[in-house]
Amino acid sequence: MKEERLCGYDINGWRDFAVRNWIIGEDGEARFGDGWRNEAGAITGVVAVGSGSRFRWVGGAQAALAPHGRGGGWGEVGTAPRLDVVRLISAEDDVPEALDAAVSGTAAGTAYSVFAINDFGSPNEELQERLIEAAGRLKHRRSLTVWRPVLAVLYGLERVDAVRSLAPDSRIAVISQTSDGLDGQVLRLRSTHDRGETVMTPERRHAGRRISQDNGFAHRLQKLLEMNGLQASAPLSALPGSIRASAMGLEAGPSLVRSASDSWRIVEIGESIDAVRPSLSSDHVGWLGDADVVLLETVAGGDAAEALRSAVEAVLDRDVIALPPDAVASGALVGARRLRAGLPVFLDFLPQISTIVTQDMKPAPYDLIDSSETLPAGKLYRSPRPARLAIPTGQQSISVYIRKETVEWPRKITVDLGRKIARETPVEVWVEQSPAAGRARILMRSTELGRDFLLDWDDAAELDEDWDTLLASLETPPPSIPNRLILECGTDAWYGVDGSGGLAEAITQSEGVANPDWTLLAQRMSARPFGKYAVSSDGEVPDVIDARDLTRLQRLSRLATREFEERLGGRRRGNDALKFLTWQFRKCDSEVVEKLLDVLEGRTHTTMFDHHMSEVLLLQGLGRTASTEEQERRILDHLLRRPHSKWRWRWETACASFLLSRSDTAPLMLNRSDIDLMATVVLREFQSELRSEYTKFKYAPFLMAGLLRFRLKEPYALIAGSDSVADKFRDAIRHTLRDFERRRPTDAFQKKAKTFGKILRQIDAELEGKGINPDLLKDIYGAGY
């Protein structure tokens, strides 16, 4: 393989290192080897030189030695711009060209590069992007950002015997000293096979943790300044060299400082390490102690590094391997070699990114990243199962809620669609990301709109509530469900009204008669004075009915059943005996229902229902009398096997509306495709009645309202604005109401329009999930009969 220039960078702002595999010889040619180290000094900065077209930033060791920006005592040079690298990598100073100088000042002309980043704190994703962008501007062919603990382990795999001897699945704890404290991480070694090689690869399964806030470089620097009666300057890299060196544990000779008034003074650090000795407890680092090996990495040196190692060993009560200050940069060079060879640098998890979807019509969290897998660095991850959302009809924008595992508060991203949506439109949301390679791309695609949208996390509105609180706030109360229809029974149907005969009189007159007047009996049984039948739709009778009348009814019902059975066999005429039985609703003998079902399903062949009006009796009779779940299922199966174009208003539509309105179990037997089929029937019947006298308008609104009882199974079904069928129902209602308003105001039609107009508005409220009439089905039944 052709030699190429590789470099590992540890640009941290406190003590920057670059370790590269080449050096330029006296002849100007590159010579390749094991690694050469460049150091930018303690508490690094970049300085501005030149002006106009010759203006540029300079970093690295040159900036550390330059007087630029060190104060008025240096004249005009002393007031030149100087920026701290610490502020550049945290984006407190967002000057891309200056960050470029910090990188190139330690090593320039790199082809493959790896940059170290902290595993806790700091804006990691943004820093990853800034470093990768800097590498691009400096024309690095390929670059990668890698966590400090990973690079420490890569260094150990090449240079530390205790790490090199570890078996696969061993656990390595890494403690990193950073600007703001001590961070801890535990990595696992994995044996990976790639390009014919087997290599040990660090695996990161979670983000690093802060284990101490009082032992970072910033804390140490502040303590040293206080001890010596000095104030922190801005920038920090303009501090006297003795202060900067001592803060990083390096030998610190006296510094000669010139003030703005041209006076000079010597700054010399008196006390140093003892006053800022690290303080730790087992609460800080105890969770790291059961790893197979513990590594400590810090860019500090001398007494500072040794004091930190001693403090960690004391609290863990075990040996800790202290790595040299350039270990992370050297590990980055190992990573660059792997990157160049196409070998895995490390395996990483991706921090979870979640959104909110509608599940069973309720808001539910949806993870866009499969947390069970780790990926090789540099490999693009795409959500294996995108979240599926829906844009409601009429919307011009959609709000998407996003939570990132590494960010405290979720955000709301509002996407302008550019136009109002004519119908409910599905969209998919997914994530694309590479481990440790910057911010994830959150994408939304609508095939129907023919567009992809980039959901910009940075421009999103931050929500001042946690994820669980947000989910709870989005959950709306379950929509209303019309009450089950129970057709009541009353004594007036039994004993008559204003001298007219009732059912009791008719059955008494029929006692002992060989051929009762089934027509009269059917009429009395189906009568509904004051809205109440002789037998309720649940098969109940009033408590006050005389026992002798109930006995007579039982005997007459047995006689009617024999009449029906003979009629099935073709030995009698007329269907009034069956009418008498079916108007007893669920009190009807179950054997009668079973025989009717056999006819419906083609198991029994008879001429009894050849006439279309007889077929009405068959279907409506079954709708009235079905009393078991099995019977309801058989009826529904028959109805749903028929294409929607074959449904008729007094036949299938009526039967289905009876079942769904009067039963709590029948709606549970349906699935979404069944709802869609019945909805098509309802919409067709609504459409066919426009500009008519609405003589066939009894069952379409009845079935529409009955379908709302599907909410017993799916509580948030058929909600307008989130369900296309509900939206179509609302359109059909509005077209019908407008038709009512345009019609000639005859007395008969106006009465019908007033009655059904009120009902349709109440159905419309149910479609919003905010029903105002729990007895809607009862009122529809009353209006249609």
Side-chain angles (χ1 to χ4, degrees):
M1 183 182 293
K2 177 185 174 183
E3 289 279 12
E4 296 200 66
R5 297 183 182 187
L6 315 176
C7 187
Y9 292 92
D10 183 3
I11 309 296
N12 55 74
W14 294 97
R15 194 177 177 194
D16 297 343
F17 290 98
V19 179
R20 63 192 193 279
N21 74 332
W22 86 96
I23 192 171
I24 302 298
E26 294 179 358
D27 58 0
E29 296 295 322
R31 291 190 298 138
F32 294 90
D34 289 338
W36 284 268
R37 184 181 90 167
N38 277 8
E39 181 180 346
I43 309 183
T44 55
V46 295
V47 298
V49 298
S51 61
S53 62
R54 302 185 67 182
F55 177 88
R56 63 192 178 96
W57 292 96
V58 174
Q62 286 181 290
L65 297 171
H68 296 67
R70 294 197 185 277
W74 297 92
E76 290 186 9
V77 170
T79 60
R82 172 182 283 270
L83 300 175
D84 291 335
V85 173
V86 168
R87 293 177 61 86
L88 289 173
I89 62 177
S90 67
E92 293 178 83
D93 291 326
D94 188 10
V95 186
E97 297 82 1
L99 182 59
D100 295 352
V103 174
S104 61
T106 51
T110 302
Y112 288 82
S113 56
V114 168
F115 294 87
I117 56 174
N118 292 344
D119 202 357
F120 179 88
S122 80
N124 277 329
E125 292 179 339
E126 295 87 340
L127 175 58
Q128 292 161 12
E129 292 176 357
R130 287 197 299 276
L131 290 173
I132 291 172
E133 289 168 0
R137 290 189 294 269
L138 295 170
K139 303 193 183 314
H140 296 195
R141 186 175 307 167
R142 190 170 177 200
S143 59
L144 192 66
T145 55
V146 180
W147 314 105
R148 299 187 69 85
V150 169
L151 297 176
V153 171
L154 289 178
Y155 172 85
L157 287 170
E158 287 211 351
R159 303 285 186 88
V160 179
D161 290 340
V163 177
R164 291 163 57 92
S165 62
L166 290 174
D169 290 332
S170 296
R171 298 170 69 249
I172 303 177
V174 181
I175 298 173
S176 299
Q177 187 174 27
T178 66
S179 177
D180 300 318
L182 294 182
D183 300 338
Q185 173 65 277
V186 176
L187 303 171
R188 191 177 295 274
L189 288 182
R190 296 295 189 195
S191 179
T192 58
H193 308 273
D194 204 321
R195 300 177 182 267
E197 291 191 47
T198 299
V199 293
M200 296 289 274
T201 304
E203 181 185 51
R204 177 176 179 263
R205 294 294 308 184
H206 52 77
R209 290 168 52 182
R210 173 61 42 84
I211 56 179
S212 171
Q213 294 182 341
D214 299 328
N215 294 288
F217 301 128
H219 177 78
R220 178 181 171 84
L221 173 62
Q222 185 60 37
K223 287 294 183 184
L224 284 173
L225 290 170
E226 291 173 359
M227 286 184 333
N228 289 276
L230 298 171
Q231 298 293 322
S233 69
L236 295 177
S237 58
L239 285 168
S242 56
I243 291 284
R244 289 183 285 116
S246 182
M248 300 310 296
L250 306 177
E251 291 187 9
S255 294
L256 186 64
V257 180
R258 186 179 185 184
S259 70
S261 60
D262 288 339
S263 62
W264 294 84
R265 69 187 180 105
I266 295 176
V267 174
E268 186 171 9
I269 299 299
E271 300 177 75
S272 60
I273 191 62
D274 289 338
V276 289
R277 185 172 297 278
S279 175
L280 291 170
S281 72
S282 58
D283 293 338
H284 292 141
V285 296
W287 61 280
L288 301 170
D290 62 349
D292 297 290
V293 170
V294 178
L295 304 179
L296 172 65
E297 68 88 2
T298 175
V299 293
D303 291 343
E306 177 57 28
L308 181 60
R309 183 193 64 79
S310 297
V312 174
E313 280 192 340
V315 75
L316 288 180
D317 193 23
R318 61 172 294 174
D319 290 339
V320 171
I321 300 173
L323 303 181
D326 65 347
V328 166
S330 298
L333 177 60
V334 176
R337 289 197 191 103
R338 291 192 179 198
L339 184 65
R340 170 70 179 90
L343 298 173
V345 179
F346 70 106
L347 303 175
D348 202 3
F349 84 104
L350 293 174
Q352 188 56 260
I353 297 177
S354 305
T355 187
I356 295 176
V357 299
T358 300
Q359 194 172 77
D360 296 328
M361 299 305 292
K362 292 184 179 181
Y366 189 93
D367 293 339
L368 295 169
I369 292 174
D370 184 353
S371 60
S372 66
E373 63 177 311
T374 53
L375 300 175
K379 181 178 179 180
L380 180 66
Y381 176 89
R382 179 178 173 128
S383 303
R385 293 176 297 280
R388 290 179 170 81
L389 313 177
I391 307 171
T393 303
Q395 294 293 107
Q396 189 168 328
S397 63
I398 181 173
S399 295
V400 182
Y401 296 92
I402 299 292
R403 177 183 70 94
K404 289 188 175 184
E405 182 181 352
T406 55
V407 180
E408 181 177 8
W409 303 114
R411 296 190 183 185
K412 176 182 177 181
I413 303 173
T414 301
V415 182
D416 186 354
L417 304 171
R419 59 183 174 86
K420 287 189 176 181
I421 303 303
R423 61 179 181 275
E424 182 179 274
T425 302
V427 295
E428 291 185 341
V429 176
W430 73 94
V431 163
E432 289 182 353
Q433 186 175 18
S434 294
R439 286 166 288 192
R441 281 165 44 91
I442 307 170
L443 301 162
M444 183 178 79
R445 170 172 296 167
S446 170
T447 303
E448 292 191 19
L449 295 179
R451 291 185 61 185
D452 287 353
F453 301 87
L454 178 63
L455 307 185
D456 193 334
W457 170 266
D458 292 329
D459 287 344
E462 184 175 85
L463 304 176
D464 191 15
E465 55 186 350
D466 61 35
W467 193 236
D468 291 337
T469 303
L470 173 61
L471 283 165
S473 70
L474 293 175
E475 185 170 344
T476 56
S480 53
I481 303 175
N483 287 344
R484 181 172 75 91
L485 172 59
I486 301 175
L487 301 173
E488 296 175 279
C489 56
T491 56
D492 292 321
W494 281 86
Y495 300 122
V497 179
D498 296 331
S500 63
L503 177 63
E505 177 185 85
I507 60 177
T508 299
Q509 293 172 353
S510 301
E511 191 171 17
V513 177
N515 294 299
D517 186 348
W518 295 114
T519 302
L520 174 65
L521 289 166
Q523 290 173 349
R524 296 289 175 87
M525 185 62 75
S526 62
R528 193 182 179 223
F530 301 109
K532 296 182 179 181
Y533 290 100
V535 179
S536 77
S537 56
D538 282 350
E540 303 294 331
V541 298
D543 294 337
V544 298
I545 301 303
D546 191 289
R548 290 171 297 180
D549 288 330
L550 293 178
T551 300
R552 293 185 186 106
L553 177 59
Q554 291 172 356
R555 290 172 183 165
L556 201 55
S557 297
R558 287 195 293 269
L559 183 60
T561 300
R562 287 197 296 271
E563 177 94 5
F564 161 63
E565 291 171 346
E566 291 175 2
R567 178 75 175 94
L568 275 179
R571 297 189 297 277
R572 285 188 181 269
R573 293 186 177 184
N575 295 333
D576 288 327
L578 178 59
K579 291 178 184 178
F580 172 75
L581 292 170
T582 63
W583 280 103
Q584 295 181 41
F585 300 101
R586 292 185 175 183
K587 190 175 179 62
C588 179
D589 193 317
S590 186
E591 285 300 315
V592 173
V593 182
E594 293 294 325
K595 292 182 185 299
L596 289 175
L597 281 169
D598 288 342
V599 173
L600 184 71
E601 294 168 341
R603 300 171 188 270
T604 298
H605 299 282
T606 179
T607 60
M608 180 178 179
F609 301 106
D610 286 352
H611 189 272
H612 69 282
M613 291 306 298
S614 298
E615 193 180 359
V616 170
L617 174 59
L618 173 63
L619 285 165
Q620 291 196 13
L622 281 169
R624 285 192 289 267
T625 58
S627 59
T628 69
E629 291 186 40
E630 179 60 27
Q631 290 170 354
E632 291 173 347
R633 186 176 299 281
R634 289 172 66 183
I635 297 169
L636 286 172
D637 285 348
H638 172 81
L639 295 176
L640 295 168
R641 280 195 297 267
R642 289 181 66 80
H644 64 80
S645 59
K646 301 285 188 180
W647 281 46
R648 297 155 296 175
W649 70 284
R650 292 186 68 184
W651 290 258
E652 290 81 7
T653 304
C655 181
S657 64
F658 292 175
L659 286 176
L660 296 183
S661 64
R662 300 174 193 177
S663 168
D664 279 335
T665 53
L668 304 179
M669 299 175 188
L670 302 179
N671 56 41
R672 186 63 208 209
S673 63
D674 302 331
I675 298 296
D676 293 342
L677 183 149
M678 294 188 192
T680 302
V681 172
V682 169
L683 293 169
R684 187 186 69 239
E685 294 188 10
F686 263 76
Q687 178 67 30
S688 67
E689 290 298 287
L690 293 176
R691 295 175 295 279
S692 75
E693 293 301 313
Y694 289 84
T695 56
K696 300 178 180 180
F697 200 56
K698 292 183 178 180
Y699 301 114
F702 200 9
L703 181 55
M704 180 185 282
L707 287 171
L708 296 174
R709 288 177 53 74
F710 183 58
R711 292 173 184 169
L712 292 170
K713 182 176 183 179
E714 294 188 10
Y716 290 84
L718 296 173
I719 302 295
S722 61
D723 188 300
S724 59
V725 167
D727 292 338
K728 291 174 184 177
F729 279 174
R730 296 193 82 183
D731 288 342
I733 287 172
R734 289 165 183 172
H735 289 152
T736 299
L737 291 174
R738 283 196 293 270
D739 191 42
F740 285 171
E741 294 170 359
R742 291 194 296 260
R743 302 302 299 279
R744 180 170 54 87
T746 63
D747 290 343
F749 187 83
Q750 283 300 98
K751 181 179 179 182
K752 182 179 294 185
K754 181 178 180 181
T755 300
F756 274 103
K758 179 180 179 181
I759 286 169
L760 292 178
R761 291 183 182 91
Q762 291 177 353
I763 296 177
D764 190 65
E766 290 285 356
L767 290 168
E768 285 192 5
K770 302 174 182 178
I772 57 177
N773 180 12
D775 293 324
L776 173 61
L777 290 167
K778 183 178 180 180
D779 290 348
I780 296 174
Y781 185 88
Y785 287 85

